Amino acid sequence: MIQAIVFLPLLGFLIAGIFGRLIGARVAGLLTSTLLVIAALLSWYVFFNTGFGGHEIRLRLFTWIAAGGLSVDWALRVDGLVAVMLVVVNSVSALVHIYSIGYMEEDPHQPRFFAYLSLFTFAMLMLVTADNLVQLFFGWEGVGLASYLLIGFWYHKPEANAAAIKAFIVNRIGDFGFALGIFAVYALIGSVAYDTIFAEAKTLAGKTIPLFGHNFDALTVICLLLFVGAMGKSAQFLLHTWLPDAMEGPTPVSALIHAATMVTAGVFMVARLSPLFELAPTALTVVTFVGALTAFFAATVGLVQNDIKRIVAYSTCSQLGYMFVAMGVGAYSVGMFHLFTHAAFKALLFLGSGSVIHAMHHEQDIRKMGGLAKHIPFTYAMMLIGTLALTGFPFTAGFYSKDAVIEAAFAGHNSMAQFAFWMTVIAAGLTSFYSWRLMFLTFHGKTRADHHTIEHVHESPKVMLATLVILATGAIVLGFAFKGVFTSEDGITGFFRDSIFSANGHKILEELHQVPLWVKLAPLVMMIGGFLVAYQFYIRKPELPKALAEQQPLLYQFLLNKWYFDEIYDFLFVRPAMWIGRTLWKRGDGFVIDGFGPDGVSARVLDVTRNVVRLQTGYLYHYAFVMLIGVAALITWFLVRGAG
């Protein structure tokens, strides 16, 4: 069964990728979707059987690498933590495959698209079921490759190519740190297998790694290097710049990769390696700080964005920050809870946005929408449910998981826990504001679309709307149904037994339920406040946003330009790299190598022979004159030598 869950998407990739033109777009879409639906159903079975059964499954397939002292098995490991990821990855992927049948109906390259989706799903499954760090890295790089292919799927668009390259390069920066962390683990422990690493983790206490003339705590260095990889893959502060640009890919790609699956790989990795991180409190403090800063930063940028998909993308970045805050304070299961619920309502928002874009003939600017609720009421209802869940409306999925993260931050004990608490509370208010801003500008008020566009607005095909219903159901019920599994001590000792480690004996889960009442109410108050401000700005007095932007032009431009990170990176890294490359090309390769190398020598020989040929005139007096000069030079040389 586990083999089927993992390899059915690979089978779909091979069939659609190799025989796509032969079987046609319709068959390719239906085949890959069917295989993913089967994998999703099996994943739910494993979720209830393995997770709640409390036993771990390990299937060794074969020896992958055997070189010297390094031995790496290709094995599939499934426990409670992995069961959650199997459900998330395969369920969202199956729905995205089905949704894409309608969304990509007019695209001439559908088989290739479905092949890429299935390839990504297989790579993500390899990542989460890995039994060692090398296998994890294989899946880690596999999702990076598939992400590059999917973001740049419409390769005829320069923006899509640039976004794909940007995502690939930024992730390589994070992956370099991740690889160094794996090397350090192997150097100190002598193995990359999880069981060995976790068993030997405590022996690393007190050991140091010499760096730049200083000795640093080994576990801290290892965990920080591994977290750099998570920062890149999960678009955390400083390595976040690729995620909004990745919206250049088709909307189903955004839902699959940048809402529910690939971007959560870093969160999963930290939870998977919790036995290491728990022994490195400094590293956990850094995780808390980066997560909190990301939650706040991305929320501020989302306030003023106008592209419907970019708003949702910055929301994803912010919510990932929430997940890392939970990881940083040791509430790993709470972070996984938010990952679990977020997959449903964020995929709903992305696919709902795709339905809006489909209805508006690929228009994505919310300033050119308005009044769409009466034209596409079903899509409006689905987006409304997703917005309520994202903002933490009572009894929706986000209400249970996001509030639990905020309460865990308040109950946390590291030095950045209180900072994280206030950042996440403020981010909750900002999230509510930009979420309702999107809803009001898109669906309410007078339409700002041109007459021709609004006349042709229509609901999406039923195959697309059906997936929204399933995701909307998850956005409503997942929080209430599974809160006990993720936020109670019984859940952590039962469902996540042997898959999540906590040095404090999971006291954080007890303490988050004992926080003061005002802490529990703070997210609700911020949610209501964000809604009221957005209502005032975009329904009651729609002239206010423009007036405020004119009063605070520096702040508005600062947020609109995403804190100028792209411009700063362009100045510090891109331009110098381009200058170095151009210099090495023009002066190094062109002038030095071509000028003085083989090409240069052959060119000089050609010049010399061309000039010598000119001496072969055929006139006797020319040859006599040259001979006379030679005799005169020879006599002069003898005379000068004799005189010396």
Side-chain angles (χ1 to χ4, degrees):
M1 180 184 298
I2 304 301
Q3 295 94 320
I5 292 174
V6 173
F7 291 107
L8 281 177
L10 178 62
L11 178 62
F13 160 69
L14 294 174
I15 295 175
I18 298 174
F19 304 107
R21 292 185 179 180
L22 181 63
I23 63 179
R26 189 72 174 175
V27 175
L30 290 174
L31 175 66
T32 54
S33 299
T34 300
L35 293 175
L36 260 298
V37 169
I38 295 172
L41 293 175
L42 292 176
S43 297
W44 278 100
Y45 176 81
V46 169
F47 176 78
F48 286 106
N49 185 57
T50 301
F52 290 99
H55 62 276
E56 176 183 292
I57 300 173
R58 184 182 185 275
L59 298 175
R60 181 184 177 278
L61 302 182
F62 53 85
T63 299
W64 184 23
I65 300 174
L70 176 63
S71 179
V72 180
D73 289 338
W74 194 289
L76 305 178
R77 181 191 188 104
V78 178
D79 50 27
L81 181 63
V82 174
V84 172
M85 295 302 297
L86 290 179
V87 165
V88 169
V89 173
N90 280 322
S91 298
V92 174
S93 183
L95 293 173
V96 167
H97 274 74
I98 296 171
Y99 180 93
S100 300
I101 294 174
Y103 190 87
M104 301 293 290
E105 186 175 11
E106 298 178 0
D107 195 284
H109 305 292
Q110 290 182 64
R112 178 164 60 90
F113 181 75
F114 284 107
Y116 287 170
L117 286 181
S118 294
L119 174 64
F120 169 82
T121 306
F122 167 70
M124 191 68 195
L125 293 172
M126 290 309 309
L127 187 159
V128 301
T129 59
D131 190 48
N132 57 74
L133 290 175
V134 175
Q135 191 177 335
L136 172 69
F137 192 73
F138 170 82
W140 193 273
E141 295 303 302
V143 294
L145 169 64
S147 176
Y148 170 81
L149 295 173
L150 286 166
I151 295 170
F153 179 76
W154 289 324
Y155 53 83
H156 58 277
K157 294 171 56 179
E159 298 86 356
N161 279 327
I165 293 171
K166 185 176 183 179
F168 194 80
I169 292 175
V170 173
N171 273 276
R172 296 292 72 71
I173 296 171
D175 293 352
F176 179 68
F178 189 49
L180 290 178
I182 295 174
F183 298 156
V185 169
Y186 180 73
L188 293 174
I189 295 180
S191 176
V192 293
Y194 288 156
D195 289 338
T196 304
I197 294 171
F198 298 160
E200 298 293 326
K202 291 184 179 180
T203 65
L204 298 180
K207 291 187 177 180
T208 59
I209 294 178
L211 288 173
F212 311 114
H214 298 279
N215 291 322
F216 296 92
D217 180 68
L219 277 168
T220 301
V221 172
I222 289 172
C223 290
L224 288 178
L225 288 172
L226 295 172
F227 180 61
V228 169
M231 288 175 63
K233 197 67 72 182
S234 297
Q236 292 300 282
F237 190 73
L238 299 180
L239 295 180
H240 65 277
T241 54
W242 66 270
L243 183 60
D245 289 359
M247 298 302 105
E248 292 294 337
T251 299
V253 172
S254 304
L256 177 62
I257 295 179
H258 309 119
T261 54
M262 189 188 83
V263 290
T264 62
V267 179
F268 165 79
M269 185 268 288
V270 174
R272 175 84 286 172
L273 300 179
S274 56
L276 290 178
F277 279 88
E278 279 294 294
L279 298 175
T282 302
L284 284 179
T285 302
V286 172
V287 172
T288 307
F289 173 75
V290 172
L293 192 57
T294 304
F296 172 77
F297 153 75
T300 62
V301 176
L303 296 175
V304 297
Q305 298 303 304
N306 298 308
D307 185 305
I308 188 170
K309 286 173 63 178
R310 284 179 181 264
I311 296 172
V312 183
Y314 275 107
S315 173
T316 298
C317 191
S318 181
Q319 297 305 306
L320 288 166
Y322 275 86
M323 298 174 203
F324 278 110
V325 166
M327 297 291 162
V329 298
Y332 301 99
S333 62
V334 173
M336 292 302 298
F337 186 28
H338 197 45
L339 184 157
F340 185 65
T341 61
H342 176 265
F345 61 73
K346 189 53 64 67
L348 173 62
L349 286 171
F350 265 117
L351 296 184
S353 299
S355 184
V356 173
I357 295 168
H358 186 272
M360 291 292 292
H361 302 281
H362 302 288
E363 178 60 65
Q364 297 184 198
D365 193 332
I366 59 176
R367 294 172 298 182
K368 299 179 181 179
M369 299 179 187
L372 294 182
K374 59 185 177 183
H375 297 283
I376 47 176
F378 189 87
T379 297
Y380 169 66
M382 296 298 100
M383 288 288 287
L384 182 61
I385 292 173
T387 298
L388 291 172
L390 172 61
T391 58
F393 189 81
F395 310 116
T396 60
F399 170 75
Y400 293 101
S401 61
K402 187 166 73 172
D403 287 17
V405 172
I406 295 174
E407 292 162 10
F410 183 84
H413 299 292
N414 71 48
S415 58
M416 284 295 160
Q418 289 303 303
F419 169 78
F421 168 72
W422 288 110
M423 287 295 98
T424 51
V425 168
I426 294 171
L430 300 178
T431 299
S432 180
F433 176 84
Y434 68 66
S435 298
W436 288 111
R437 172 178 178 264
L438 184 154
M439 292 296 293
F440 292 148
L441 287 178
T442 303
F443 295 102
H444 294 269
K446 296 180 180 179
T447 182
R448 296 172 297 281
D450 62 78
H451 183 69
H452 176 75
T453 300
I454 206 67
E455 276 187 346
H456 293 83
V457 171
H458 59 280
E459 286 285 12
S460 300
K462 292 181 179 178
V463 69
M464 295 170 60
L465 299 181
T467 61
L468 300 184
V469 173
I470 297 173
L471 289 169
T473 303
I476 295 172
V477 305
L478 287 180
F480 176 80
F482 294 102
K483 63 177 182 177
V485 174
F486 292 91
T487 63
S488 69
E489 188 175 356
D490 290 339
I492 197 70
T493 56
F495 191 90
F496 291 107
R497 183 177 62 189
D498 300 327
S499 62
I500 289 179
F501 173 77
S502 179
N504 64 12
H506 314 298
K507 291 181 180 179
I508 187 72
L509 297 180
E510 299 176 17
E511 295 171 351
L512 72 86
H513 293 295
Q514 300 170 1
V515 297
L517 179 61
W518 70 268
V519 174
K520 294 179 179 292
L521 293 177
L524 179 63
V525 171
M526 297 301 288
M527 180 206 71
I528 296 173
F531 168 79
L532 293 176
V533 174
Y535 184 81
Q536 178 76 4
F537 272 44
Y538 298 102
I539 300 297
R540 290 193 62 197
K541 296 182 178 180
E543 70 279 2
L544 277 180
K546 183 178 180 181
L548 183 60
E550 291 174 349
Q551 291 176 7
Q552 303 291 337
L554 293 179
L555 177 61
Y556 177 73
Q557 290 298 322
F558 180 71
L559 297 180
L560 187 64
N561 288 282
K562 302 158 287 188
W563 291 27
Y564 292 102
F565 269 103
D566 285 323
E567 290 77 6
I568 293 171
Y569 286 171
D570 183 68
F571 176 77
L572 292 178
F573 303 114
V574 178
R575 292 184 186 179
M578 293 291 288
W579 180 85
I580 293 172
R582 190 175 293 108
T583 300
L584 293 175
W585 169 35
K586 292 292 186 180
R587 298 188 178 183
D589 186 56
F591 180 74
V592 177
I593 296 177
D594 288 346
F596 298 97
D599 291 343
V601 171
S602 62
R604 299 296 77 76
V605 170
L606 183 61
D607 292 341
V608 171
T609 55
R610 186 180 295 112
N611 291 325
V612 170
V613 166
R614 293 176 182 176
L615 297 177
Q616 305 297 322
T617 62
Y619 294 107
L620 182 61
Y621 58 85
H622 285 170
Y623 300 148
F625 178 69
V626 172
M627 292 174 64
L628 180 61
I629 292 176
V631 171
L634 186 62
I635 293 173
T636 301
W637 183 76
F638 276 112
L639 290 175
V640 172
R641 184 180 180 188

